[in-house]
Coordinates of all heavy atoms in Angstrom, one line a residue:
C192 N 97.8 -0.5 36.3 CA 99.2 -0.4 36.7 C 99.9 -1.8 36.8 O 99.1 -2.7 36.7 CB 99.3 0.3 38.0 SG 98.8 -0.7 39.5
P193 N 101.2 -1.8 37.0 CA 101.8 -3.2 37.1 C 101.3 -4.1 38.2 O 101.1 -5.3 38.1 CB 103.3 -2.8 37.3 CG 103.5 -1.5 36.6 CD 102.1 -0.8 36.9
M194 N 101.0 -3.5 39.4 CA 100.4 -4.2 40.5 C 99.1 -4.9 40.0 O 98.9 -6.1 40.2 CB 100.2 -3.4 41.7 CG 99.5 -4.2 42.8 SD 99.1 -3.0 44.2 CE 97.9 -1.9 43.6
C195 N 98.2 -4.1 39.5 CA 96.9 -4.6 39.1 C 97.0 -5.6 37.9 O 96.3 -6.6 37.9 CB 96.0 -3.4 38.8 SG 95.6 -2.3 40.1
A196 N 97.9 -5.3 37.0 CA 98.1 -6.2 35.8 C 98.5 -7.6 36.4 O 98.1 -8.6 35.9 CB 99.1 -5.6 34.8
G197 N 99.5 -7.6 37.3 CA 99.9 -8.8 37.9 C 98.8 -9.6 38.5 O 98.7 -10.8 38.3
A198 N 97.9 -9.0 39.2 CA 96.7 -9.7 39.9 C 95.8 -10.1 38.8 O 95.3 -11.2 38.9 CB 96.0 -8.7 40.8
I199 N 95.6 -9.3 37.8 CA 94.7 -9.7 36.6 C 95.3 -11.0 36.0 O 94.5 -11.9 35.7 CB 94.7 -8.6 35.6 CG1 93.9 -7.4 36.2 CG2 94.0 -9.1 34.3 CD1 93.9 -6.1 35.4
V200 N 96.5 -11.1 35.7 CA 97.1 -12.3 35.1 C 96.9 -13.5 36.1 O 96.5 -14.6 35.7 CB 98.7 -12.1 34.9 CG1 99.4 -13.4 34.5 CG2 98.8 -11.1 33.6
H201 N 97.2 -13.3 37.4 CA 97.0 -14.4 38.3 C 95.6 -14.9 38.4 O 95.4 -16.1 38.7 CB 97.7 -14.0 39.7 CG 99.1 -14.1 39.7 ND1 99.9 -15.2 39.5 CD2 100.0 -13.0 39.8 CE1 101.1 -14.9 39.6 NE2 101.2 -13.6 39.7
C202 N 94.7 -14.0 38.3 CA 93.2 -14.4 38.3 C 92.8 -15.0 37.0 O 91.7 -15.4 36.9 CB 92.4 -13.1 38.7 SG 92.6 -12.6 40.4
R203 N 93.6 -14.8 36.0 CA 93.3 -15.3 34.7 C 92.1 -14.8 34.0 O 91.3 -15.5 33.3 CB 93.2 -16.9 34.7 CG 94.5 -17.5 35.2 CD 94.4 -19.0 35.3 NE 95.7 -19.5 35.8 CZ 95.9 -20.7 36.4 NH1 94.9 -21.5 36.4 NH2 97.0 -21.0 36.8
L204 N 91.9 -13.4 34.2 CA 90.8 -12.8 33.5 C 91.0 -12.9 31.9 O 92.0 -12.8 31.4 CB 90.8 -11.3 33.8 CG 90.1 -10.8 35.0 CD1 90.4 -9.4 35.3 CD2 88.6 -11.0 34.9
A205 N 89.8 -13.2 31.4 CA 89.8 -13.4 29.9 C 90.1 -12.1 29.1 O 90.8 -12.2 28.1 CB 88.4 -13.9 29.4
R206 N 89.7 -11.0 29.6 CA 89.7 -9.8 28.8 C 89.7 -8.6 29.8 O 89.1 -8.5 30.8 CB 88.4 -9.7 28.0 CG 88.4 -8.5 27.0 CD 87.3 -8.8 26.0 NE 87.1 -7.6 25.1 CZ 85.9 -6.9 25.2 NH1 84.9 -7.2 25.9 NH2 85.8 -5.8 24.4
V207 N 90.5 -7.5 29.4 CA 90.5 -6.2 30.0 C 90.2 -5.1 29.0 O 90.8 -5.0 28.0 CB 92.0 -6.0 30.6 CG1 92.1 -4.6 31.2 CG2 92.3 -7.1 31.6
V208 N 89.2 -4.3 29.4 CA 88.8 -3.2 28.6 C 89.0 -2.0 29.5 O 88.7 -1.8 30.5 CB 87.3 -3.3 28.3 CG1 86.8 -2.1 27.4 CG2 86.9 -4.6 27.6
F209 N 89.9 -1.0 28.8 CA 90.1 0.2 29.6 C 89.8 1.5 28.7 O 89.8 1.4 27.6 CB 91.5 0.2 30.2 CG 92.7 0.3 29.2 CD1 93.1 1.5 28.8 CD2 93.3 -0.9 28.8 CE1 94.2 1.6 27.9 CE2 94.4 -0.8 27.9 CZ 94.8 0.4 27.4
G210 N 89.7 2.6 29.5 CA 89.4 3.8 28.8 C 90.7 4.6 28.5 O 91.2 4.6 27.4
A211 N 91.2 5.4 29.5 CA 92.4 6.2 29.3 C 93.7 5.4 29.4 O 94.0 4.7 30.4 CB 92.4 7.3 30.4
P212 N 94.6 5.5 28.4 CA 95.8 4.9 28.4 C 96.8 5.6 29.4 O 96.5 6.8 29.8 CB 96.4 4.9 27.0 CG 95.7 6.1 26.4 CD 94.4 6.3 27.1
D213 N 97.8 4.9 29.9 CA 98.8 5.5 30.7 C 100.2 5.2 30.2 O 100.8 4.1 30.5 CB 98.7 5.0 32.2 CG 99.6 5.6 33.2 OD1 100.5 6.4 32.8 OD2 99.4 5.3 34.4
A214 N 100.7 6.1 29.4 CA 102.0 5.9 28.7 C 103.2 5.8 29.7 O 104.2 5.1 29.4 CB 102.3 7.0 27.8
K215 N 103.1 6.4 30.9 CA 104.2 6.4 31.9 C 104.2 5.1 32.7 O 105.3 4.7 33.1 CB 104.2 7.6 32.7 CG 104.5 8.8 31.9 CD 104.5 10.0 32.8 CE 104.8 11.3 32.0 NZ 104.7 12.5 32.9
A216 N 103.0 4.6 33.1 CA 103.0 3.5 34.1 C 102.0 2.4 33.7 O 101.8 1.5 34.5 CB 102.8 4.0 35.5
G217 N 101.4 2.5 32.6 CA 100.3 1.5 32.2 C 101.0 0.2 31.9 O 102.1 0.1 31.3
A218 N 100.3 -0.9 32.3 CA 100.9 -2.3 32.2 C 100.0 -3.1 31.2 O 100.1 -4.3 31.3 CB 101.1 -2.9 33.5
A219 N 99.2 -2.5 30.4 CA 98.5 -3.1 29.4 C 98.8 -2.6 28.0 O 97.9 -2.5 27.1 CB 97.0 -3.0 29.7
G220 N 100.1 -2.2 27.8 CA 100.5 -1.7 26.5 C 101.1 -0.3 26.5 O 101.6 0.1 25.5
G221 N 100.8 0.4 27.6 CA 101.3 1.8 27.7 C 102.8 1.8 27.9 O 103.5 2.0 26.9
A222 N 103.2 1.7 29.1 CA 104.7 1.6 29.4 C 105.3 0.2 29.2 O 106.4 0.0 28.9 CB 105.0 2.1 30.8

Side-chain angles (χ1 to χ4, degrees):
C192 73
M194 173 184 69
C195 294
I199 289 164
V200 169
H201 284 292
C202 293
R203 300 179 181 163
L204 273 168
R206 185 170 171 243
V207 175
V208 179
F209 68 86
D213 183 350
K215 291 183 181 176

